[in-house]
């Protein structure tokens, strides 16, 4: 990209998120999913990785998605409408060891069904805690998305918690981990919802995915 193209790309994202983003719907069963009239992106990842916080940071609304210290806070698929152009979907987290078997079973069914078979889904943002890196439970999801050919992009979270110089290493390790994965987007975005780092690029990606003629 030239500098002008980069500036235009970032500006497109800024403009989308300057418009209202509103809560639309909480879904607990596949049958309740909205008609696929608009493109969708979703935020997936281990419990407590910062999915809901990232949606709040992107939209600059603290209480839009419910974020919490308690892992397993988000238990439904929550739909947010960004300017009638694209839905942002906050998913329940996986890998929460203390969740009940029933909760885990429900997560597995609904979320996997969604990730693997949701036609309007243009990209999965797969959030990885930058302090912990990619875990086995993340690899399971990546393998499933590779198999179903749903594009996913790694978003590193909580980079404000890293010491100087650590981000480069996590980036390198993550790049290596996705190098041979067919459905992985090659670019990794490093973010901090606290410091608001990396949000401009993520907004720009979402705005690009919202374009009617977007090709995945
Ligand atoms: P579940 O819904 O349980 O799957 O969790 P989640 O992935 O939605 O995580 P959530 O956004 O609720 O955040 C979990 C915890 O991490 C909260 O205590 C947040 O304040 C904290 N957190 C989220 N993002 C950041 C970040 O960028 N930096 C720091 N330092 N803390 C963060
Ligand atoms: Mg959440």
């Amino acid at each position: 990209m030239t500098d002008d193209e980069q500036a235009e790309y970032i500006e497109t994202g800024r403009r989308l998120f300057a418009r209202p983003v509103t809560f639309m719907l909480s879904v607990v069963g596949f049958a309740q999913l909205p008609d696929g009239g608009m493109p969708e992106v979703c935020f997936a990842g281990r419990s407590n990785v910062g999915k809901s916080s990232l949606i709040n940071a992107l939209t600059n609304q603290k209480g839009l998605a419910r974020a919490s210290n308690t892992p397993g806070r988000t238990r439904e698929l929550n739909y947010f409408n960004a300017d009638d152009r694209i839905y942002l979907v906050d998913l329940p987290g996986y890998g929460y060891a203390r969740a009940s078997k029933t909760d885990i079973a429900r997560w597995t069914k609904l979320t996997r069904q969604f990730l693997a078979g949701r036609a309007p889904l243009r990209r999965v943002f797969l959030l990885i805690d930058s302090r912990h890196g990619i875990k086995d439970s993340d690899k399971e999801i990546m393998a499933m998305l590779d198999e179903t050919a749903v594009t996913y992009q790694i978003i590193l979270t909580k980079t404000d918690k890293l010491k100087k110089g650590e981000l480069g290493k996590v980036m390198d390790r993550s790049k290596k981990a996705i190098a041979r994965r067919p459905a992985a987007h090659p670019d990794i975005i490093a973010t901090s919802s606290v410091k608001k780092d990396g949000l401009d690029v993520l907004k720009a990606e979402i705005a690009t995915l919202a374009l009617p003629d977007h090709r995945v």
Side-chain angles (χ1 to χ4, degrees):
M1 260 194 252
T2 64
D3 285 356
D4 278 357
E5 282 165 353
Q6 175 75 14
E8 174 56 29
Y9 165 74
I10 295 295
E11 176 58 15
T12 315
R14 192 199 61 75
R15 252 183 276 139
L16 173 62
F17 283 90
R19 305 281 308 152
V21 181
T22 53
F23 172 77
M24 192 186 87
L25 175 74
S26 231
V27 173
V28 292
F30 206 66
Q32 301 169 305
L33 288 168
D35 294 342
M38 285 215 298
E40 298 175 5
V41 291
C42 72
F43 296 78
R46 289 166 61 81
S47 194
N48 217 39
V49 69
K51 299 174 290 296
S52 302
S53 301
L54 188 58
I55 291 178
N56 290 338
L58 284 169
T59 59
N60 215 6
Q61 299 182 59
K62 274 210 169 99
L64 186 64
R66 281 204 301 171
S68 124
N69 265 321
T70 321
R73 161 55 68 203
T74 308
R75 287 158 194 247
E76 328 75 16
L77 269 58
N78 288 309
Y79 268 76
F80 302 93
N81 180 343
D83 197 31
D84 288 330
R85 287 174 53 200
I86 191 163
Y87 291 133
L88 315 178
V89 189
D90 188 16
L91 299 185
Y94 51 82
Y96 175 45
R98 281 163 62 200
S100 74
K101 277 198 178 137
T102 330
D103 276 357
I104 292 172
R106 209 179 43 164
W107 182 90
T108 306
K109 189 158 173 259
L110 179 61
T111 314
R112 284 187 175 240
Q113 234 177 350
F114 177 84
L115 287 173
R118 180 70 179 155
L121 189 58
R122 294 218 169 149
R123 190 173 297 170
V124 175
F125 293 116
L126 186 58
L127 275 58
I128 304 288
D129 190 319
S130 58
R131 297 167 300 176
H132 309 317
I134 298 171
K135 301 277 189 191
D136 285 347
S137 51
D138 302 313
K139 288 183 188 159
E140 269 175 44
I141 299 296
M142 288 159 73
M144 183 188 78
L145 296 171
D146 285 329
E147 201 159 301
T148 48
V150 175
T151 307
Y152 54 94
Q153 181 166 22
I154 304 288
I155 309 295
L156 297 174
T157 63
K158 309 191 188 183
T159 57
D160 57 283
K161 295 261 197 183
L162 293 178
K163 295 199 191 78
K164 251 199 156 131
E166 279 181 345
L167 182 59
K169 289 182 204 158
V170 187
M171 274 281 196
D172 288 348
R173 273 202 301 275
S174 309
K175 281 206 171 130
K176 267 196 198 120
I178 59 164
R180 286 195 183 77
R181 291 193 169 270
H185 191 287
D187 299 331
I188 294 175
I189 304 176
T191 65
S192 162
S193 295
V194 169
K195 294 220 168 136
K196 313 251 172 194
D197 289 341
L199 301 186
D200 52 351
V201 176
L202 184 52
K203 288 179 189 180
E205 279 299 305
I206 296 171
T208 307
L209 291 160
L211 296 173
D213 58 350
H214 178 81
R215 307 261 181 284
V216 272

